[in-house]
Amino acid sequence: MIRLEIVEGQDAGRRLESNEDVVRIGRSDVNDLVLSEWHVSGEHASIVLSGETYVVRDLQSTNGTRVIRAGHAIDVTDDDERELDLEDADVLALGDAERPVRILVQIGDEPDDARIVSLRKVDDLSKVEETVGADRAVLSALYEAQKAIGACIDLGDVIETVSRQVFRFLSRATHVTIALREQDGKSRKSARYVPVGTRVRGGADAEAVPITRSVFRKVVAERAAVLAADAKRDVGETASIMGAQIQSTIGVPLWHGDEILGVLQVDNRDASGVFRERDLDVLALLGQSASQAFAHARLVARLRAAEESQRTENTFLKRRDKGRRFDGIIGESGRMKALFDQLRKVVNTRVTVLVEGETGTGKELIASAVHYWSDRAEALFIAQNCAAMPENLLESELFGHKKGSFTGATDDKKGLFELADAGTLFLDEVGEMPMNLQAKLLRALQEGEIRPIGSNTTRKVDVRIVAATNRDLETEVSQGRFREDLFYRLKVFPIQVPPLRERREDIPLLATHFLTRYAKEFGRSVEGFSQEAMDLLAAYKWPGNVRELENEVQRVVIQADEGSLIGPELLSGRIRQVENLIDRVHPAKGTLKQMMAQVEKWVLREALKEHDNNKSATAKSLGITREGLHKKLKSYGMS
């Protein structure tokens, strides 16, 4: 039992007594001891019973937790684990260092110094085996029991089988309870042991009962099986013993190496008899097999949870990735329609695709379309930028390595080729790949085999390769910077992604798409672009292509007022400038009105030419009505 008394602070005089394994302290109402001071965190600290010791743990509080012991302050937050063993008469100092809340700690355990009938330490079980082994019938039965327990995989099966075997060997046993250490990632020092299952002889599952704390502490502290033959007499009339009306009990540790996984407690709640030392010996030996079974069951549970988590994460990422990528493939221009036609013809073949285009045109989006429009869509799409890593790291990333093959190779590692098996591997900026690595990539393309660094064996892989570059690979080949044979392997089916300036009619579509996307992401209400702003966007050269347009729209959404139209004043200076148009039109000198008329006439002529004189399409791309276009053409004598 632990007693807490607030000796300094707004709540001075308040007391709390608890037999619970965890006592929570803080300002929130969910705590066992609620404090009023503002400088105390909502969930400030907890006191945890660990074996025979109480531990105070700071719960990432804002103003810290300190323990005053013999006049000296110990800052719990200075410890890496943010915890400290408590002693009787310690004072907790919580919150502000100048005026903390002070809590006196008094520790009064249930009696546990009474006579224990017998102990069987884990390290001495070989002697117990020799004693029990004299009875061949019991030894044979134990062997069968151990096989049955060892065959269990699931935690529930282990609990059921262990309980059944205990009832088989211990005729006086009426209840079996298993308590396991919580797997919460915290330190073992403050671990909690929680009942996970109780079985009753001749009955169904029972509600998990608390384990007998006084016996439990002996089991954990001594690493031994403990027999209290008459619980009332030998352990004392403690709350846990009397509350459960336990006449006799045995506690057996469940362990893995030096770690105590839990405790197996067997009770006799029938006044007709008590356990004997022979029962203790048999149960200690069953505890060996039970320990291994529980350790394996927990490992299997963790692996299954990790596998399910990975499967769920992969499914989520693929769906999110697919949606995100195809949200960005927007285009109704003639150039983009022709590109989509190319894609549809190649997606369900095995040929290598080379995506060419300027930086920012969306080459990775096109590469992802090759994957997600194909019958490989359910497998992984993995992208790797070949310019982002030095040669040695890139080789390991692509092909994997064996443990010890180079400094830092502490484990075997699968490469991206192996991870993308049955899927698609996108090699961005492939023109930046070093010459030595190009030879290994060529072999992978020709043979469908890879060899990890440090391995003597090859592995077959089925990977669709999509490569991309903004370099002219033919020029790279002629200048000796790229292998000619690899060039022809990659350029089986080239796809040229047009720059944004060559598909200007897509600019309003893209700008509106990005506006909607970022307004939603930033929680902003923006009406759209004014005609003047859209005209400037459509007239700009966009040397950074779609990526530059996306960044521009993202910036203006942040700047725009709620519920407003985006006008020219919010656009970047480079876009507001008309010098780029002036340079291309070369208008004759004159008044501003005359020069602007020449610019507008040139824009109309270029738009008509781009749409093969289709006036409806031309008007739509210019953001005006067909009637408005006719009026302008008539005024310039172009109708």
Side-chain angles (χ1 to χ4, degrees):
M1 176 178 290
I2 189 166
R3 299 175 181 85
L4 303 176
E5 181 182 355
I6 302 175
V7 295
E8 188 174 322
Q10 293 181 27
D11 305 303
R14 187 188 301 167
R15 296 179 175 86
L16 174 69
E17 292 186 1
S18 178
N19 284 316
E20 298 298 322
D21 290 345
V22 178
V23 177
R24 296 172 177 83
I25 305 171
R27 199 174 67 252
S28 169
D29 290 340
V30 302
N31 294 284
D32 302 297
L33 183 60
V34 179
L35 306 177
S36 304
E37 272 80 359
W38 62 268
H39 53 86
V40 174
S41 298
E43 295 181 25
H44 194 103
S46 64
I47 297 175
V48 180
L49 178 64
S50 175
E52 297 183 325
T53 306
Y54 282 99
V55 176
V56 62
R57 170 176 284 273
D58 181 82
L59 302 178
Q60 305 290 330
S61 66
T62 302
N63 293 312
T65 301
R66 291 158 291 281
V67 174
I68 311 299
R69 180 178 299 163
H72 299 287
I74 306 171
D75 195 338
V76 177
T77 54
D78 285 345
D79 184 80
D80 290 339
E81 297 176 345
R82 302 176 76 94
E83 65 178 34
L84 181 72
D85 289 350
L86 285 175
E87 297 178 2
D88 188 44
D90 280 346
V91 175
L92 299 180
L94 310 183
D96 186 77
E98 298 298 325
R99 45 180 181 179
V101 176
R102 297 180 185 269
I103 302 172
L104 175 64
V105 178
Q106 294 177 303
I107 300 174
D109 293 335
E110 293 178 351
D112 62 356
D113 55 353
R115 182 176 62 87
I116 296 295
V117 173
S118 191
L119 293 174
R120 298 290 186 268
K121 288 186 176 293
V122 168
D123 296 337
D124 296 333
L125 287 184
S126 58
K127 298 177 182 177
V128 176
E129 287 182 5
E130 294 176 3
T131 302
V132 175
D135 189 332
R136 295 297 179 184
V138 173
L139 191 62
S140 176
L142 277 172
Y143 173 70
E144 294 300 324
Q146 289 170 344
K147 283 203 305 181
I149 294 171
C152 297
I153 296 177
D154 295 323
L155 184 60
D157 291 340
V158 178
I159 294 174
E160 191 65 43
T161 303
V162 169
S163 300
R164 188 168 59 250
Q165 297 301 330
V166 169
F167 291 137
R168 173 188 174 191
F169 283 93
L170 276 65
S171 60
R172 297 180 180 87
T174 60
H175 292 71
V176 175
T177 297
I178 290 96
L180 297 178
R181 185 171 61 84
E182 281 188 325
Q183 296 175 295
D184 57 2
K186 296 179 181 177
S187 69
R188 297 176 187 175
K189 186 190 295 183
S190 59
R192 293 180 61 207
Y193 294 83
V194 178
V196 295
T198 295
R199 300 293 184 270
V200 179
R201 180 184 291 276
D205 296 358
E207 183 178 350
V209 299
I211 56 178
T212 306
R213 186 173 296 137
S214 51
V215 174
F216 161 74
R217 285 201 291 265
K218 281 289 185 184
V219 171
V220 174
E222 300 285 345
R223 286 176 55 85
V226 175
L227 166 61
D230 183 337
K232 292 182 181 178
R233 184 195 67 207
D234 295 325
V235 182
E237 295 188 1
T238 65
S240 53
I241 291 284
M242 297 302 294
Q245 296 182 334
I246 299 173
Q247 306 299 319
S248 181
T249 190
I250 299 177
V252 175
L254 303 171
W255 74 97
H256 181 67
D258 294 332
E259 179 183 4
I260 297 294
L261 302 178
V263 173
L264 167 64
Q265 177 175 303
V266 180
D267 299 332
N268 171 23
R269 304 187 186 188
D270 186 342
S272 62
V274 295
F275 292 130
R276 309 298 184 200
E277 288 202 28
R278 182 70 163 181
D279 298 324
L280 177 64
D281 290 339
V282 171
L283 195 57
L285 294 179
L286 281 177
Q288 281 186 301
S289 300
S291 297
Q292 295 178 8
F294 279 114
H296 292 162
R298 286 202 135 182
L299 177 60
V300 168
R302 285 198 297 268
L303 291 174
R304 285 176 175 170
E307 183 180 35
E308 180 60 28
S309 175
Q310 185 178 38
R311 185 184 300 113
T312 302
E313 183 179 356
N314 284 343
T315 301
F316 167 75
L317 289 176
K318 283 195 289 186
R319 288 176 180 170
R320 186 192 67 177
D321 195 44
K322 184 175 182 179
R324 182 175 59 200
R325 292 175 190 280
F326 287 97
D327 281 347
I329 300 184
I330 294 173
E332 296 181 359
S333 63
R335 293 291 301 274
M336 290 302 292
K337 289 178 180 178
L339 186 151
F340 293 148
D341 287 340
Q342 281 187 292
L343 283 175
R344 292 187 182 94
K345 293 174 182 176
V346 76
V347 289
N348 280 324
T349 68
R350 295 175 54 86
V351 301
T352 302
V353 175
L354 180 64
V355 185
E356 299 174 297
E358 297 178 5
T359 298
T361 51
K363 295 187 291 297
E364 185 171 347
L365 292 176
I366 302 304
S368 67
V370 174
H371 175 76
Y372 288 113
W373 290 4
S374 76
D375 52 14
R376 294 174 177 257
E378 294 305 315
L380 287 179
F381 173 81
I382 299 178
Q384 175 60 48
N385 189 319
C386 297
M389 288 186 174
E391 179 178 350
N392 59 331
L393 293 181
L394 181 59
E395 182 178 3
S396 170
E397 193 71 14
L398 292 177
F399 303 106
H401 63 249
K402 299 293 289 181
K403 179 180 178 181
S405 56
F406 55 85
T407 302
T410 56
D411 295 289
D412 289 354
K413 176 185 176 181
K414 289 185 177 181
L416 298 184
F417 267 91
E418 195 169 353
L419 293 174
D421 194 20
T424 303
L425 178 58
F426 173 53
L427 300 177
D428 198 8
E429 303 296 350
V430 71
E432 306 288 341
M433 183 175 287
M435 290 290 287
N436 291 339
L437 199 49
Q438 290 177 29
K440 200 162 186 178
L441 174 60
L442 179 62
R443 175 179 174 80
L445 292 174
Q446 288 176 331
E447 308 296 336
E449 294 179 344
I450 61 166
R451 178 179 293 172
I453 299 174
S455 175
N456 295 322
T457 59
T458 60
R459 300 175 184 175
K460 283 284 186 181
V461 289
D462 173 22
V463 179
R464 172 76 173 277
I465 296 295
V466 180
T469 181
N470 59 7
R471 290 190 177 191
D472 184 342
L473 289 187
E474 291 190 43
T475 301
E476 296 296 302
V477 169
S478 66
Q479 296 181 0
R481 291 192 293 266
F482 200 85
R483 292 180 63 108
E484 185 175 14
D485 46 5
L486 178 58
F487 168 69
Y488 289 117
R489 276 284 174 181
L490 292 176
K491 201 169 183 175
V492 177
F493 194 94
I495 292 178
Q496 185 71 39
V497 184
L500 191 53
R501 63 182 175 275
E502 293 181 9
R503 54 182 187 111
R504 291 184 181 275
E505 57 267 50
D506 290 333
I507 291 175
L509 293 174
L510 288 163
T512 302
H513 164 76
F514 291 135
L515 179 70
T516 302
R517 172 180 167 184
Y518 287 112
K520 181 179 180 181
E521 181 177 326
F522 300 147
R524 308 296 297 277
S525 175
V526 183
E527 291 298 318
F529 292 97
S530 69
Q531 187 60 53
E532 295 85 351
M534 188 63 78
D535 289 344
L536 286 172
L537 292 175
Y540 182 57
K541 288 183 177 180
W542 298 109
N545 293 296
V546 179
R547 184 182 298 138
E548 184 184 5
L549 174 60
E550 180 179 2
N551 292 341
E552 178 68 17
V553 174
Q554 185 177 10
R555 187 186 62 79
V556 298
V557 169
I558 295 173
Q559 288 185 311
D561 294 330
E562 284 290 312
S564 66
L565 278 173
I566 294 176
E569 69 280 357
L570 292 180
L571 300 178
S572 300
R574 66 183 184 281
I575 296 174
R576 294 199 306 270
Q577 293 174 350
V578 297
E579 284 82 358
N580 55 333
L581 278 179
I582 300 299
D583 290 342
R584 296 170 69 184
V585 180
H586 297 296
K589 294 291 184 181
T591 64
L592 177 61
K593 183 176 180 180
Q594 291 170 334
M595 294 178 68
M596 290 302 296
Q598 294 178 63
V599 171
E600 188 173 39
K601 187 176 180 180
W602 178 87
V603 170
L604 292 171
R605 186 183 300 113
E606 289 295 310
L608 285 168
K609 186 189 303 181
E610 190 169 0
H611 293 284
D612 297 324
N613 284 318
N614 185 316
K615 293 183 174 58
S616 295
T618 300
K620 183 178 180 181
S621 70
L622 293 174
I624 59 177
T625 64
R626 183 182 173 89
E627 291 73 18
L629 176 63
H630 276 299
K631 288 181 181 179
K632 288 185 178 293
L633 293 177
K634 186 176 181 180
S635 67
Y636 291 126
M638 297 172 62
S639 56

